[in-house]
Amino acid sequence: MKLSKKQIQEKQYKSFLRSKETFNSIHSIYVLYCPIKKQIVYVGMTSLPLTQRLKMHLWEANSNSYFNKREKEWLKELQDLGLSPLIRRVAIANNRDIAKKKELKVIVSIMAKRELLNFQSHMIRAGKWKHEDTLNKYIQKHY
């Protein structure tokens, strides 16, 4: 069975995310800023240049493989209005492990003020991360 161009791109993207080079490279922790709400709505991390990561968010929003439904809907809404989120680096880490921890700290600090589109924010709001110890255990187990 021959793969479509879209399926090939998705396969290459997933392979890139699992690669050792990605794991051990410098990572940026970034925020996506909504030009309509005038606030941060998403926190992420990447080893890619930020402009490329933003393009990937926009491409992913139009693909079938995007798992964050709320983020996908928000990106599509912006695209329908001819708008795009703004992306800004807020921290840097030497590898993926450190980056995931920093990303989660940024998520938690912003969530003290407002809801985010990150799936982690749903877990925090649902009460899975009621205490710092629970959050630290989750980080150690999954990152």
Side-chain angles (χ1 to χ4, degrees), residues 13-88:
Y13 171 65
K14 288 176 184 174
S15 175
F16 169 78
L17 291 178
R18 289 189 301 266
S19 74
K20 286 184 180 180
E21 293 147 8
T22 302
F23 183 84
N24 291 318
S25 61
I26 300 294
H27 284 66
S28 295
I29 292 75
Y30 65 90
V31 295
L32 293 181
Y33 182 84
C34 179
I36 297 170
K37 295 179 180 181
K38 308 280 189 229
Q39 65 185 23
I40 294 167
V41 296
Y42 181 86
V43 178
M45 59 148 230
T46 186
S47 61
L48 298 172
L50 293 182
T51 53
Q52 188 175 353
R53 182 61 186 110
L54 179 58
K55 287 177 186 176
M56 288 176 73
H57 272 286
L58 299 172
W59 177 81
E60 290 166 341
N62 293 303
S63 77
N64 293 329
S65 66
Y66 214 56
F67 65 89
N68 187 331
K69 184 179 176 185
R70 289 180 0 142
E71 182 189 355
K72 181 176 184 167
E73 289 170 356
W74 169 68
L75 288 169
K76 289 187 83 55
E77 178 185 325
L78 288 182
Q79 288 175 330
D80 290 346
L81 295 170
L83 299 172
S84 179
L86 302 173
I87 190 167
R88 176 170 289 168

